[in-house]
Structures are given as structure tokens and as C-alpha cells.
């Protein structure tokens, strides 16, 4: 193993949004997942499979987080059917677009490329991956090309519950149970959503046998201790706690955002769905439904006609710049520290295609340039770094980490401000009630068990950090406004939990209501409400 290591950690998460019966009314919300499958997950799988084939004689590994809610949706057969139908409608629209753009060479080329991609997506999803993206990821992990990390059951921002150990246990335990169900093993590492760290989380993580986690670079920089190796070596927080923390390179995300804004890249906000008459979109849109993005986008960010060849050339230049910066950091650190150096860079999955159309090409080129760069830097995973340190009998430094996150200005302010502060009040109150009833009904059976398990699931969903962030971003012009939808979903989860709580108290339950909610929220079929019980 090299003494200079680069860890590329891709973080894939999406909130649990499942609308099957009312698909037409929620086409825009469903579109979030479908676009991500086409533009992020399938391209990412293709990139890793291609790299595995092309660089079969080279050592490289990518780290990956796939949140439990994302895995649940990707494994849902009804959602898979919806996605196939969505692609077929996109292909039908594409055929019409070829005819409409026949007299404009530039637009015709763009329409043809988009149509071809839709056809390839359908072929890859159905034939290559047998509709099972999670299984394809698991296969890459077994082949040693992907190092999987677990994360919280519903991607909750844990510092909001730092004084409620039972909630921390429930989120971590549900994440690990889900990971084992989908990937057949337990991981070495655990990803803290939004890199949210607060003092004491390390004890809970270690109690589940985990070996490492990631924190934002600020946790190292603002420590009251002198961190000898900066962000280039892992550290520990407690003398008798073997869990180690790696620091994320805080500059990486800003660099990716800067690359994605270059004028030559595709303007993802300018879609024919918002330019053409509704009659021209009838092959794709549901009747009387809201306009949703079609994926047919013909212009670059500088308002010129999109040129895919020019965009790919710039994406290659961006990849070269990114690799040069990261390799330069690692090499310089090794020289100054006179020891092995590791740099961890987290990459939000949406930057690899959903928010930046050329992101998947950029990522493929980054892998190639590191593997074939000849710099001596190796693409690896944190678990491999830890094994190397153990062989070399190197003890990580003991420091006090500073509480922080990678969101907003470093403290996840967008999850708790004047727009969404009311949400945490309800989530915490319901958490107290769940902890109470988990201990009050430990040995019940039948309908009560179903009620308790449903209550646990509804509470976990309410704790998801995405709802508060959507409400916060309600006035953000850079993204679709899902504030009203997020508020509606959050209230639905809370109301369902209150019904569960009241039903247990009155010893009555509507089996029709219980069955309907269970059918609507099909995640975590293994759920055991006792994950909220106080540990003896």
C-alpha cells in the first residue's frame, strides 16, 4: 500500500419519497429519484465497472455511502416499475423532439444525445443491472473496488439529539441493520449525516463495533489540542476508545461547485418542459399534472447552444486541476510530516450528475488520472489505511474534537433556524414518547407490536434531516421549492406517531388505518421498536 493515500468518499442519500397510488399528483417529487438514477447512480456504476475492467492490474478503491432510505427506494419493485415507465415516456418524447428539431443541426444533435442516453439508461437498468442497483453496488464491494460505509437509518442530524442516547442508538442501529440487509455485512466505517459531530457520539459508535468515522476539517482545526498531523492522519478522542476519526478536506466541495458553474457546461435549469406548450409534452407529462423536467436541455450556462464535446474537454481540464490540487496537498504533507499522509474528500452524489450534468464524466477522469498519474498517490479506503497503521504499530493522536458539521457555515444552521425550528420541537417530544412506550410495552404481541413498529418507523422518518433543509431552502431560487411538500410530509409522520401513541394508551386501534400506513411506508420491514429502548 502507498504511503500517500487519497480517499474519495461519495455520499448518496435521498429522503424517503414514495408515491405509487398518487403518482400523477406527485410527479415532481418522484422525479427527484428518477433523475438521480439516470444521472448519478447508473453512470456511477458504469464508471466503476469500466474502471475495474480498464485498471484490472492496478489497486484502487472508492468509498461509498448509500443511505438506508435510498436503498429502500431503489429496491422497491413498484418504484422500479415507475422508473421504467418514466424512461419510456422520456424516450417517446425524445422521438418527437427529433422530428421537431430536424431543421436545427445543433439542437438536433443535443436531442439525439439525450434520447440515446435515455435508451442506454433503460438498457442498463433492465438488462445490465436487472433493475437492482443496490445488488450491483454490493457486487463491486465484494470485488474490492468499493468500500461501503453505513449511515443513520434516516439521515438524521445527530447533534440535535446528542442528549438523547436512545435516539442516537436507534438511528445508528437502524442504519446498521439496513446495511446488513442490503449488503450482507457490517462495515468498518460509519458516516455521520452532514458530518455532524458532537462530543460523546464516538462512544455510541464504538459500542456497535465500528472502527472509524469522518468529521469536518473544522473539528480538527478548532480543537483545543495541537493536532500534530493536521487533517492528514486519523485521530482518537478517548484513551480507551479505539474508534478513530478522519478529517474531510473542507475545500473539496467548494472546488466542485466552482467547476460546475463554468459557462460551457449544460444549463440544467433550462429544460424544454418550461419552454414548450403543454401539448408538445403530452408524451411525457401526465394529464393535468404540473410541468416537470424532461431532461431535454439544449443550452449551456452561458446561454449558447450546448456543445457536448467542448463540455467534456473542460470537464477533463477540471479533473486535472482537482487531481493536481489533491495530489499536491498529499505530497507536500508527506514531505513536511515525514510520514504517511491520507486526504479524505467527500463528494455529494448529486454533484456527479444531478446538479452537474458533466459530473459523472469529471469523476471518471479523476479516477483515471489518479490511477495512471504516476504520482505514487493511491485511491484507497479508510479501512485500508487503518489496517496499514495497525501493521506499522502507529497509534493515532489523542485529541478533543470540536463539534461541527460540513453544512452551512459549519454548524448545520440550515437545519435549525427561524424557518424550521418548530420541527425539532415536535421530533424531540415524539422521541421522548417513543422511548417511554418502548419500555412500557416490551413484551406485547399482535396488533400492539405492529403499532409500536410503525410508530418507530414514523418517528425515524420525522427525524430525517432533509425535511428541515427543504423548508429552509423554500426561498432558494437555485433549486425547486419543496418546502410545502416537506412540511406536509413531516406533519404526516408526526400525526401518524400521535395516532399510534393514543391507540396504545386507549387500547384501541383501527386495523384499516394501520394497514394503510404500513402499505404506504414500506421501508424497514425488519423494524423492531426496541431499538428505542434504554440500554440496560
Amino acid at each position: 500500500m502507498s504511503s500517500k493515500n487519497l480517499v474519495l468518499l461519495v455520499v448518496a442519500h435521498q429522503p424517503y419519497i414514495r408515491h405509487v397510488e398518487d403518482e400523477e399528483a406527485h410527479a415532481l417529487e418522484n422525479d427527484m429519484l428518477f433523475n438521480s438514477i439516470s444521472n448519478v447512480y447508473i453512470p456511477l456504476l458504469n464508471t466503476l465497472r469500466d474502471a475495474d475492467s480498464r485498471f484490472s492490474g492496478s489497486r484502487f478503491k472508492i468509498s461509498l455511502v448509500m443511505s438506508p432510505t435510498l436503498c429502500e427506494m431503489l429496491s422497491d419493485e413498484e418504484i422500479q416499475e415507475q422508473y421504467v415507465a418514466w424512461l419510456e415516456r422520456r424516450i417517446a418524447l425524445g422521438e418527437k423532439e427529433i422530428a421537431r428539431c430536424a431543421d436545427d443541426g445543433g439542437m438536433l444533435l443535443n436531442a439525439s444525445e439525450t434520447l440515446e442516453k435515455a435508451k442506454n439508461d433503460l438498457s442498463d437498468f433492465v438488462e445490465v443491472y436487472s433493475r437492482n442497483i443496490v445488488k450491483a453496488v454490493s457486487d463491486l464491494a465484494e470485488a474490492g473496488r468499493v468500500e461501503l460505509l453505513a449511515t443513520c437509518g434516516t439521515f438524521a442530524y445527530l447533534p440535535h439529539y446528542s442528549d438523547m442516547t436512545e435516539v442516537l442508538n436507534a438511528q445508528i442501529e437502524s442504519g446498521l441493520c439496513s446495511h446488513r440487509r442490503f449488503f450482507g455485512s457490517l462495515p468498518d466505517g460509519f458516516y455521520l449525516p452532514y458530518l455532524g459531530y458532537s462530543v460523546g457520539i464516538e462512544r455510541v459508535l464504538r459500542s456497535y463495533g465500528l472502527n472509524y468515522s469522518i468529521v469536518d476539517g473544522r473539528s480538527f482545526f478548532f480543537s483545543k489540542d495541537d493536532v500534530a498531523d493536521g487533517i492528514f492522519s486519523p485521530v482518537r478522542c478517548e484513551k480507551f476508545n479505539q474508534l478513530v476519526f478522519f478529517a474531510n478536506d473542507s475545500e473539496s466541495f467548494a472546488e466542485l461547485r466552482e467547476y460546475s458553474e463554468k459557462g460551457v457546461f449544460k444549463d440544467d435549469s433550462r429544460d424544454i418542459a418550461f419552454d414548450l406548450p403543454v401539448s408538445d409534452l403530452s408524451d411525457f407529462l401526465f394529464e393535468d399534472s404540473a410541468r416537470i423536467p424532461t431532461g431535454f436541455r439544449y443550452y449551456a450556462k452561458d446561454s449558447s447552444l450546448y456543445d457536448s464535446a467542448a463540455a467534456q474537454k473542460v470537464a477533463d481540464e477540471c479533473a486535472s486541476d482537482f487531481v493536481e490540487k489533491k495530489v499536491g496537498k498529499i505530497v507536500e504533507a508527506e514531505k513536511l510530516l515525514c510520514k504517511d499522509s491520507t486526504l479524505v474528500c467527500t463528494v455529494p452524489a448529486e454533484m456527479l450528475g444531478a446538479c452537474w450534468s458533466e459530473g459523472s464524466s469529471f469523476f471518471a477522469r479523476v479516477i483515471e488520472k489518479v490511477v495512471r498519474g504516476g504520482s505514487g498517490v493511491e485511491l484507497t479506503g479508510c479501512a485500508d489505511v487503518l489496517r496499514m497503521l495497525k501493521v506499522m504499530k502507529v497509534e493515532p493522536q489523542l485529541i478533543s474534537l470540536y463539534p461541527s458539521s460540513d453544512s452551512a457555515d459549519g454548524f448545520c444552521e440550515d437545519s435549525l433556524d427561524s424557518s424550521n425550528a418548530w420541527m425539532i420541537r415536535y421530533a424531540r417530544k415524539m422521541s421522548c414518547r417513543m422511548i417511554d412506550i418502548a419500555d412500557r410495552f416490551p413484551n406485547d404481541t399482535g396488533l400492539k407490536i405492529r403499532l409500536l413498529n410503525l410508530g418507530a418507523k414514523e418517528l425515524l422518518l420525522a427525524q430525517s434531516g432533509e425535511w428541515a433543509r427543504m423548508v429552509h431552502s423554500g426561498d432558494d431560487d437555485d433549486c425547486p421549492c419543496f418546502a410545502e411538500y416537506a412540511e406536509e410530509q413531516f406533519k404526516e409522520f408526526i400525526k401518524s406517531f400521535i395516532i399510534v401513541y393514543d391507540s396504545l394508551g386507549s387500547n384501541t386501534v383501527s386495523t384499516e388505518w394501520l394497514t394503510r400506513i404500513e402499505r404506504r411506508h414500506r421501508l424497514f420491514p425488519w423494524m423492531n421498536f426496541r431499538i428505542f429502548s434504554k440500554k440496560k
Side-chain angles (χ1 to χ4, degrees), residues 97-152:
E97 276 296 284
I98 295 297
R100 187 181 72 85
C101 300
D103 296 331
D104 188 320
M107 293 185 68
L108 177 61
L109 177 60
N110 278 296
S112 300
E113 290 175 346
T114 305
L115 174 60
E116 186 65 23
K117 177 175 174 13
K119 291 179 177 179
N120 289 338
D121 289 341
L122 182 58
S123 174
D124 287 341
F125 185 71
V126 175
E127 299 173 18
V128 178
Y129 300 120
S130 302
R131 306 190 181 204
N132 197 336
I133 289 176
V134 175
K135 174 64 165 54
V137 170
S138 183
D139 290 343
L140 284 167
E142 289 182 11
R145 293 308 193 188
V146 169
E147 179 175 311
L148 291 167
L149 287 78
T151 189
C152 291

Coordinates of all heavy atoms in Angstrom, one line a residue, residues 97-152:
E97 N -39.1 14.9 -30.2 CA -38.1 16.0 -30.3 C -37.2 15.9 -31.5 O -36.8 16.9 -32.1 CB -37.3 16.1 -29.0 CG -37.9 16.8 -27.8 CD -38.1 18.2 -28.1 OE1 -37.1 19.0 -28.1 OE2 -39.3 18.6 -28.4
I98 N -36.8 14.7 -31.9 CA -36.0 14.5 -33.1 C -36.7 15.1 -34.3 O -36.1 15.8 -35.1 CB -35.7 13.0 -33.3 CG1 -34.9 12.5 -32.2 CG2 -35.0 12.8 -34.7 CD1 -33.5 13.1 -32.0
A99 N -38.0 14.9 -34.4 CA -38.7 15.4 -35.5 C -38.9 16.9 -35.4 O -38.7 17.7 -36.4 CB -40.1 14.8 -35.6
R100 N -39.1 17.4 -34.2 CA -39.3 18.9 -34.0 C -38.0 19.7 -34.3 O -38.0 20.8 -34.9 CB -39.7 19.2 -32.6 CG -40.1 20.7 -32.4 CD -40.5 20.9 -30.9 NE -39.4 20.8 -30.0 CZ -38.6 21.9 -29.7 NH1 -38.8 23.1 -30.3 NH2 -37.6 21.8 -28.9
C101 N -36.8 19.1 -34.0 CA -35.5 19.8 -34.2 C -34.8 19.4 -35.5 O -33.7 19.8 -35.6 CB -34.6 19.4 -33.0 SG -35.3 19.9 -31.4
A102 N -35.5 18.8 -36.4 CA -34.9 18.3 -37.6 C -34.2 19.4 -38.4 O -33.2 19.1 -39.1 CB -35.9 17.5 -38.4
D103 N -34.7 20.6 -38.3 CA -34.2 21.6 -39.2 C -33.1 22.5 -38.5 O -32.6 23.4 -39.0 CB -35.3 22.6 -39.6 CG -36.3 21.9 -40.5 OD1 -35.9 20.9 -41.2 OD2 -37.5 22.3 -40.5
D104 N -32.8 22.1 -37.2 CA -31.7 22.8 -36.5 C -30.7 21.8 -36.1 O -30.9 21.0 -35.1 CB -32.4 23.5 -35.3 CG -31.4 24.4 -34.5 OD1 -30.2 24.1 -34.4 OD2 -31.8 25.5 -34.1
G105 N -29.5 21.9 -36.8 CA -28.5 20.9 -36.6 C -28.0 20.8 -35.1 O -27.8 19.7 -34.6
G106 N -27.8 21.9 -34.5 CA -27.2 22.0 -33.1 C -28.2 21.4 -32.1 O -27.9 20.5 -31.3
M107 N -29.5 21.8 -32.2 CA -30.5 21.3 -31.3 C -30.8 19.8 -31.6 O -31.0 19.0 -30.7 CB -31.8 22.1 -31.4 CG -31.6 23.5 -30.9 SD -33.1 24.5 -30.9 CE -34.0 23.7 -29.6
L108 N -30.7 19.4 -32.9 CA -31.0 18.0 -33.2 C -29.9 17.1 -32.6 O -30.2 16.0 -32.1 CB -31.0 17.9 -34.8 CG -31.1 16.4 -35.3 CD1 -32.5 15.9 -34.9 CD2 -31.0 16.4 -36.8
L109 N -28.7 17.6 -32.6 CA -27.6 16.8 -32.0 C -27.8 16.6 -30.5 O -27.6 15.5 -30.0 CB -26.2 17.5 -32.3 CG -25.0 16.8 -31.6 CD1 -24.8 15.4 -32.2 CD2 -23.7 17.6 -31.9
N110 N -28.2 17.7 -29.9 CA -28.5 17.6 -28.4 C -29.6 16.7 -28.1 O -29.6 15.9 -27.2 CB -28.7 19.0 -27.9 CG -27.5 19.8 -27.6 OD1 -26.7 19.4 -26.7 ND2 -27.3 20.9 -28.3
A111 N -30.7 16.8 -28.9 CA -31.9 16.0 -28.7 C -31.5 14.5 -29.0 O -31.9 13.6 -28.2 CB -33.0 16.4 -29.7
S112 N -30.7 14.2 -30.0 CA -30.3 12.9 -30.3 C -29.4 12.3 -29.2 O -29.6 11.1 -28.8 CB -29.5 12.8 -31.6 OG -30.3 13.3 -32.7
E113 N -28.5 13.1 -28.6 CA -27.7 12.6 -27.5 C -28.5 12.3 -26.2 O -28.3 11.3 -25.6 CB -26.6 13.6 -27.2 CG -25.5 13.8 -28.2 CD -24.6 14.9 -28.0 OE1 -24.8 15.7 -27.1 OE2 -23.5 14.9 -28.6
T114 N -29.5 13.1 -26.0 CA -30.4 12.9 -24.8 C -31.2 11.7 -25.0 O -31.4 10.9 -24.0 CB -31.3 14.2 -24.5 OG1 -30.4 15.3 -24.4 CG2 -32.1 14.0 -23.3
L115 N -31.8 11.5 -26.2 CA -32.6 10.3 -26.5 C -31.7 9.1 -26.4 O -32.2 8.1 -25.8 CB -33.2 10.5 -27.9 CG -33.9 9.2 -28.4 CD1 -35.1 8.9 -27.5 CD2 -34.4 9.5 -29.8
E116 N -30.5 9.1 -26.9 CA -29.7 8.0 -26.8 C -29.3 7.6 -25.4 O -29.3 6.4 -25.0 CB -28.4 8.2 -27.6 CG -27.4 7.0 -27.8 CD -28.0 5.9 -28.6 OE1 -28.9 6.2 -29.4 OE2 -27.6 4.8 -28.4
K117 N -29.1 8.6 -24.6 CA -28.8 8.3 -23.2 C -30.0 7.7 -22.5 O -29.9 6.8 -21.7 CB -28.4 9.6 -22.4 CG -28.2 9.4 -20.9 CD -27.7 10.6 -20.2 CE -27.6 10.4 -18.7 NZ -27.7 9.1 -18.2
A118 N -31.2 8.2 -22.8 CA -32.4 7.6 -22.2 C -32.6 6.1 -22.6 O -32.9 5.2 -21.7 CB -33.7 8.4 -22.6
K119 N -32.3 5.8 -23.8 CA -32.3 4.4 -24.3 C -31.3 3.6 -23.6 O -31.5 2.4 -23.2 CB -32.2 4.3 -25.8 CG -33.3 4.9 -26.6 CD -33.1 4.8 -28.1 CE -34.3 5.3 -28.9 NZ -34.1 5.3 -30.3
N120 N -30.1 4.1 -23.4 CA -29.0 3.4 -22.8 C -29.3 3.2 -21.3 O -29.0 2.1 -20.7 CB -27.7 4.1 -22.9 CG -27.1 4.1 -24.3 OD1 -27.5 3.2 -25.1 ND2 -26.3 5.1 -24.6
D121 N -29.9 4.2 -20.7 CA -30.3 4.1 -19.3 C -31.3 2.9 -19.1 O -31.2 2.1 -18.1 CB -31.0 5.4 -18.7 CG -29.9 6.5 -18.6 OD1 -28.7 6.2 -18.5 OD2 -30.4 7.7 -18.5
L122 N -32.3 2.8 -20.0 CA -33.3 1.8 -19.9 C -32.6 0.4 -20.1 O -32.9 -0.6 -19.4 CB -34.3 2.0 -21.0 CG -35.5 1.0 -21.0 CD1 -36.2 0.9 -19.7 CD2 -36.5 1.3 -22.2
S123 N -31.7 0.3 -21.0 CA -31.0 -0.9 -21.3 C -30.1 -1.3 -20.1 O -30.1 -2.5 -19.7 CB -30.1 -0.8 -22.6 OG -29.3 -2.0 -22.7
D124 N -29.4 -0.4 -19.6 CA -28.5 -0.6 -18.4 C -29.4 -1.1 -17.2 O -29.0 -2.0 -16.5 CB -27.7 0.6 -18.0 CG -26.6 0.9 -19.0 OD1 -26.2 0.0 -19.8 OD2 -26.1 2.0 -19.1
F125 N -30.4 -0.3 -16.9 CA -31.2 -0.6 -15.7 C -31.9 -2.0 -15.8 O -31.8 -2.8 -14.8 CB -32.3 0.5 -15.6 CG -33.1 0.4 -14.3 CD1 -32.5 0.6 -13.1 CD2 -34.4 0.0 -14.3 CE1 -33.3 0.5 -11.9 CE2 -35.2 -0.2 -13.2 CZ -34.6 0.1 -12.0
V126 N -32.5 -2.3 -17.0 CA -33.2 -3.5 -17.1 C -32.3 -4.7 -17.4 O -32.5 -5.8 -16.8 CB -34.3 -3.4 -18.2 CG1 -35.0 -4.7 -18.4 CG2 -35.3 -2.3 -17.8
E127 N -31.4 -4.6 -18.3 CA -30.6 -5.7 -18.8 C -29.3 -5.9 -18.1 O -29.0 -7.0 -17.7 CB -30.4 -5.6 -20.3 CG -31.7 -5.6 -21.1 CD -31.4 -5.3 -22.6 OE1 -30.3 -5.4 -23.0 OE2 -32.4 -4.9 -23.3
V128 N -28.6 -4.8 -17.9 CA -27.2 -4.9 -17.3 C -27.4 -5.1 -15.8 O -26.7 -6.0 -15.2 CB -26.4 -3.7 -17.6 CG1 -25.0 -3.8 -16.9 CG2 -26.2 -3.6 -19.1
Y129 N -28.2 -4.3 -15.1 CA -28.3 -4.4 -13.6 C -29.5 -5.0 -13.1 O -29.8 -5.1 -11.9 CB -28.2 -2.9 -13.1 CG -26.9 -2.3 -13.5 CD1 -26.9 -1.1 -14.2 CD2 -25.7 -2.8 -13.1 CE1 -25.7 -0.5 -14.6 CE2 -24.5 -2.2 -13.5 CZ -24.5 -1.0 -14.2 OH -23.3 -0.5 -14.6
S130 N -30.3 -5.6 -14.0 CA -31.5 -6.4 -13.6 C -32.4 -5.6 -12.6 O -33.0 -6.2 -11.7 CB -31.1 -7.7 -13.0 OG -30.4 -8.5 -14.0
R131 N -32.5 -4.3 -12.8 CA -33.3 -3.4 -12.0 C -32.8 -3.3 -10.6 O -33.4 -2.7 -9.7 CB -34.8 -3.8 -12.0 CG -35.4 -3.9 -13.4 CD -36.9 -4.1 -13.3 NE -37.4 -4.2 -14.7 CZ -38.7 -4.0 -15.0 NH1 -39.5 -3.5 -14.1 NH2 -39.1 -4.1 -16.2
N132 N -31.7 -3.9 -10.3 CA -31.2 -4.0 -8.9 C -29.9 -3.2 -8.7 O -28.8 -3.8 -8.8 CB -31.0 -5.4 -8.5 CG -31.0 -5.6 -7.0 OD1 -30.6 -4.6 -6.2 ND2 -31.3 -6.8 -6.5
I133 N -29.9 -1.9 -8.6 CA -28.7 -1.1 -8.4 C -28.0 -1.4 -7.1 O -26.8 -1.4 -7.1 CB -29.1 0.4 -8.5 CG1 -29.5 0.8 -9.9 CG2 -28.0 1.3 -8.0 CD1 -30.0 2.2 -10.1
V134 N -28.7 -1.7 -6.1 CA -28.1 -2.0 -4.8 C -27.3 -3.3 -4.9 O -26.1 -3.3 -4.4 CB -29.2 -2.1 -3.7 CG1 -28.5 -2.6 -2.4 CG2 -29.9 -0.8 -3.5
K135 N -27.8 -4.3 -5.6 CA -27.0 -5.5 -5.8 C -25.8 -5.2 -6.6 O -24.7 -5.8 -6.3 CB -27.9 -6.5 -6.5 CG -27.2 -7.8 -6.9 CD -26.7 -8.6 -5.7 CE -26.4 -10.1 -6.1 NZ -25.4 -10.2 -7.2
A136 N -25.9 -4.4 -7.6 CA -24.7 -4.1 -8.4 C -23.6 -3.4 -7.6 O -22.4 -3.7 -7.7 CB -25.1 -3.1 -9.6
V137 N -24.0 -2.5 -6.7 CA -23.1 -1.9 -5.7 C -22.4 -2.9 -4.8 O -21.2 -2.9 -4.6 CB -23.8 -0.8 -4.9 CG1 -22.8 -0.3 -3.8 CG2 -24.2 0.4 -5.8
S138 N -23.3 -3.8 -4.3 CA -22.8 -4.9 -3.5 C -21.7 -5.7 -4.2 O -20.7 -6.1 -3.6 CB -23.9 -5.7 -3.0 OG -23.5 -6.7 -2.1
D139 N -22.0 -6.0 -5.4 CA -21.0 -6.8 -6.2 C -19.7 -6.1 -6.3 O -18.6 -6.7 -6.3 CB -21.6 -7.1 -7.6 CG -22.7 -8.1 -7.6 OD1 -22.9 -8.8 -6.6 OD2 -23.5 -8.1 -8.6
L140 N -19.7 -4.8 -6.6 CA -18.5 -4.0 -6.7 C -17.7 -4.0 -5.3 O -16.5 -4.0 -5.3 CB -18.7 -2.6 -7.1 CG -19.1 -2.4 -8.6 CD1 -19.7 -1.0 -8.9 CD2 -17.8 -2.6 -9.4
A141 N -18.5 -4.0 -4.2 CA -17.8 -4.1 -2.9 C -17.2 -5.4 -2.7 O -16.0 -5.5 -2.2 CB -18.9 -3.8 -1.8
E142 N -17.8 -6.5 -3.1 CA -17.2 -7.8 -3.0 C -16.0 -7.9 -3.8 O -15.0 -8.7 -3.5 CB -18.3 -8.9 -3.4 CG -19.4 -9.0 -2.3 CD -20.3 -10.1 -2.7 OE1 -20.0 -10.9 -3.7 OE2 -21.4 -10.2 -2.1
A143 N -16.0 -7.2 -5.0 CA -14.8 -7.3 -5.9 C -13.7 -6.4 -5.3 O -12.6 -6.4 -5.9 CB -15.2 -6.8 -7.3
G144 N -13.9 -5.7 -4.3 CA -12.8 -4.9 -3.7 C -12.6 -3.5 -4.3 O -11.7 -2.8 -4.0
R145 N -13.6 -3.1 -5.1 CA -13.5 -1.7 -5.8 C -14.2 -0.7 -5.0 O -14.1 0.5 -5.3 CB -14.0 -1.8 -7.2 CG -13.1 -2.6 -8.1 CD -11.7 -2.2 -8.1 NE -10.9 -2.8 -9.2 CZ -9.5 -2.7 -9.3 NH1 -8.9 -2.1 -8.3 NH2 -8.9 -3.3 -10.3
V146 N -15.1 -1.1 -4.1 CA -15.9 -0.1 -3.3 C -15.8 -0.5 -1.8 O -15.9 -1.6 -1.5 CB -17.4 -0.1 -3.8 CG1 -18.2 0.7 -2.8 CG2 -17.5 0.5 -5.2
E147 N -15.5 0.5 -1.0 CA -15.6 0.4 0.4 C -16.9 1.0 0.9 O -17.0 2.3 0.8 CB -14.4 1.0 1.1 CG -14.4 0.8 2.6 CD -13.2 1.4 3.3 OE1 -12.1 1.0 2.8 OE2 -13.3 2.2 4.2
L148 N -17.8 0.3 1.5 CA -19.1 0.8 1.9 C -19.1 1.2 3.3 O -18.5 0.5 4.2 CB -20.1 -0.3 1.7 CG -20.5 -0.7 0.3 CD1 -21.3 -2.0 0.2 CD2 -21.3 0.5 -0.4
L149 N -19.7 2.4 3.6 CA -19.9 2.8 5.0 C -21.3 2.8 5.3 O -22.2 3.1 4.4 CB -19.3 4.3 5.1 CG -17.8 4.5 5.2 CD1 -17.2 4.5 3.8 CD2 -17.5 5.8 5.8
A150 N -21.7 2.6 6.5 CA -23.1 2.7 6.9 C -23.4 4.1 7.3 O -22.5 4.9 7.5 CB -23.4 1.7 8.1
T151 N -24.6 4.4 7.5 CA -25.0 5.8 8.0 C -26.3 5.6 8.7 O -26.9 4.5 8.8 CB -25.1 6.8 6.9 OG1 -25.3 8.1 7.4 CG2 -26.3 6.5 5.9
C152 N -26.9 6.7 9.3 CA -28.1 6.7 10.1 C -29.3 6.1 9.3 O -29.3 6.3 8.1 CB -28.4 8.1 10.6 SG -27.2 8.7 11.8

